[in-house]
DNA sequence: ATTGACACTCTACCATGGTAGTATGTATTT
DNA sequence: AAATACATACTACCATGGTAGAGTGTCAAT
């Protein structure tokens, strides 16, 4: 039976002979392999560096990454759970199309949860939270001004995550993050619009203001309006990019 | 290498020599094994036939069920994702305690989503749906009158699921079902209270009435009140049963 | 009696070989 | 030429063996 080492050497050779992609980078054998693979594939799919209907085979991925098929398989199962890939038994696994239906439902779930979270925070939150969230807003402005798109997206994610953290709702964030993936793919289709980013930043500020002033209704309404922005662009894109967006 | 057949025979012998439990029943090798095991363990945990801190070992389960460790492992991973078990690497997997924190957050997520679903249905739903849901209510009444507890729980689940189906929100139901597991365990601690079931049935009727009359506010409020019932009993129980409920 | 090292046993994690089922291309029949 | 049976080449799924690390008990040293 081949050892881990020989397996890794094979993979090393393979890596040199094939064109590299974001997925193909050294795996750290010290920490859980399945989680690393999941993370990497998730990123590749949400950033559209892997496109819908592209095939992901257990065997090929395990060879390319220099690991066995077991952790690859576990990563694929998680991705399928989150609707990012479709596993067809005995046929293959494929990146799922961007289904307008799924994006709409993701938006529904996110809105339901984040509106409730915002209302809760408007009902009471810590000084510390308000300080930190304003610091984040400041960073967002810098990112917009320097046109640092990826940075803005990271700050946006941190913005929404910190809401759940402050409210003491970690599982809610996990749900949001999971359905958010469907919306992220749409974002990457339409990203380089700087004016759009300014709109988002304004909305973020409006939400924070409402929370700070304790206006429960406004906090919820502003968050709802904010989250509907993404859906609007998704609907627009579904007309233009029928090659990538389904329904 | 041992074949599937010899493995199954070993398990057959083992099954005769050990005390049976709800988990130990013949696996159907025709359909996905991992899913069957997940379903079975999930049921055992939510119905409290497996209690918190009880150990689940890949090896032991695979022997008892007559399958290999791989599908067992996959089932355990899913259960851990849903917070029903804790996997401690290189130490073991154990049924998670009923954490009041988790129950409260499950309630929060469920309320956020189901209130939004109810409001949407109150804004418009099909005649067919109203007919079916009333038929379900009638069956619920029969179940209460005959004190058929398990039947009532099944009808209750169908009641809530049909809301999501009518609204065209299948993923939302998956999320609800997933967090609902935490609340179901609490229910099984306190179930045999017939009066409580009558309260739930009345609440169900009130929600349906609000939806039928198109009263969006009332539909949402009634659903929220309904879902808070379970949490109330959970809080009560957490005082009495410190052996099973944490926090 | 207390503490330390160390062997032993247990676990989940990963590697890898085997199996059944699906799709596809290729002969063979009509 | 069109349709059908069939071989072939895939796939995901499952079985099983190996490995590193965490817990525990024992025995030696202090």
């Amino acid at each position: 039976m081949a050892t881990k080492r020989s397996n890794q050497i094979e993979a090393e050779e393979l890596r040199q002979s094939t064109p590299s992609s974001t997925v193909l980078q050294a795996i750290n054998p010290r920490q859980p392999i399945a989680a690393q693979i999941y993370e990497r594939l998730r990123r590749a799919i949400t950033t559209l560096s892997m496109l819908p209907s592209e095939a992901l085979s257990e065997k090929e991925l395990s060879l390319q990454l220099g690991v066995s098929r077991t952790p690859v398989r576990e990563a694929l199962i998680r991705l399928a759970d989150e609707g990012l890939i479709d596993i067809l038994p005995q046929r293959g696994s494929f990146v799922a199309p961007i289904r307008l239906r799924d994006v709409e439902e993701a938006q529904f779930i996110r809105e339901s949860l984040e509106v409730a979270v915002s209302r809760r925070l408007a009902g009471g939150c810590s000084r510390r939270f308000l300080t930190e969230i304003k610091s984040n807003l400041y960073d967002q402005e810098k990112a917009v001004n320097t046109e640092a798109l990826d940075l803005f997206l990271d700050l946006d994610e941190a913005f929404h995550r910190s809401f759940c953290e402050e409210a003491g709702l970690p599982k809610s964030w996990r749900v949001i993050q999971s359905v958010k993936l469907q919306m992220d793919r749409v974002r990457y289709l339409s990203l380089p619009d700087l004016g759009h980013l300014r709109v988002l930043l304004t909305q973020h500020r409006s939400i924070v203001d409402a929370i700070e002033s304790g206006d429960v209704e406004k906090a919820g309404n502003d968050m709802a309006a904010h989250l509907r922005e993404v859906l609007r662009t998704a609907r627009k894109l579904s007309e233009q990019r029928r090659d990538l967006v389904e329904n």
Side-chain angles (χ1 to χ4, degrees), chain A:
Chain A
M1 183 181 293
T3 66
K4 282 185 186 179
R5 190 147 303 282
S6 76
N7 193 326
Q8 293 234 343
I9 291 170
E10 283 174 35
E12 207 61 50
E13 290 161 0
L14 205 150
R15 212 169 293 145
Q16 292 169 358
S17 65
T18 52
S20 75
S21 96
T22 54
V23 178
L24 295 177
Q25 279 174 11
I27 289 270
N28 179 355
R30 295 283 161 196
Q31 32 186 335
I33 296 175
Q36 290 180 66
I37 298 171
Y38 163 79
E39 198 59 37
R40 186 169 305 203
L41 290 175
R42 184 185 63 70
R43 182 153 189 83
I45 295 172
T46 52
T47 62
L48 297 178
S49 86
M50 294 193 76
L51 292 176
S53 83
E54 197 167 332
L56 300 112
S57 119
E58 273 182 25
K59 196 172 182 178
E60 194 184 337
L61 281 170
S62 67
L63 283 174
Q64 289 182 347
L65 294 169
V67 299
S68 80
R69 301 195 310 278
T70 304
V72 172
R73 174 175 161 70
E74 286 170 4
L76 293 182
I77 289 173
R78 275 198 68 182
L79 291 167
D81 266 348
E82 287 172 338
L84 288 182
I85 72 171
D86 296 327
I87 297 179
L88 309 181
Q90 272 67 40
R91 283 208 280 159
S93 302
F94 308 90
V95 177
I98 299 176
R99 299 181 184 95
L100 191 54
R101 271 285 165 92
D102 286 357
V103 178
E104 282 174 344
E105 184 162 7
Q107 204 281 332
F108 172 84
I109 294 171
R110 227 188 134 179
E111 180 179 322
S112 303
L113 290 174
E114 294 213 52
V115 164
V117 172
S118 302
R119 291 172 64 97
R120 182 172 280 204
L121 291 183
C125 64
S126 70
R127 283 253 144 256
R128 193 169 172 281
F129 168 70
L130 287 170
T131 311
E132 281 179 9
I133 208 76
K134 282 176 188 166
S135 160
N136 178 299
L137 284 176
Y138 179 71
D139 291 340
Q140 283 183 37
E141 180 164 13
K142 274 201 299 187
V144 172
N145 288 337
T146 59
E147 306 188 18
L149 283 161
D150 281 352
L151 176 60
F152 182 83
L153 286 186
D154 286 347
L155 288 168
D156 177 71
E157 174 133 342
F159 180 84
H160 289 275
R161 184 178 59 237
S162 68
F163 275 45
C164 288
E165 277 171 9
E166 171 67 11
L169 299 166
K171 310 261 179 184
S172 303
W173 173 245
R174 280 200 53 189
V175 173
I176 291 167
Q177 198 178 23
S178 169
V179 301
K180 184 174 176 295
L181 300 175
Q182 294 293 340
M183 303 169 72
D184 285 344
R185 284 208 290 180
V186 175
R187 288 190 137 177
Y188 266 87
L189 272 178
S190 61
L191 202 84
D193 182 354
L194 205 67
H196 183 59
L197 261 49
R198 292 210 180 277
V199 172
L200 296 180
L201 176 52
T202 304
Q203 292 174 331
H204 283 169
R205 285 210 181 95
S206 178
I207 295 165
V208 172
D209 282 349
I211 289 175
E212 189 167 19
S213 63
D215 191 336
V216 173
E217 289 302 319
K218 185 169 184 295
N221 291 340
D222 285 357
M223 179 59 92
H226 172 52
L227 293 173
R228 279 176 196 151
E229 269 297 305
V230 179
L231 190 56
R232 285 190 49 228
T233 64
R235 291 220 176 90
K236 252 188 274 177
L237 282 161
S238 71
E239 309 282 320
Q240 301 162 9
R241 303 286 310 255
R242 288 228 172 274
D243 54 324
L244 290 178
V245 183
E246 207 171 74
N247 263 14

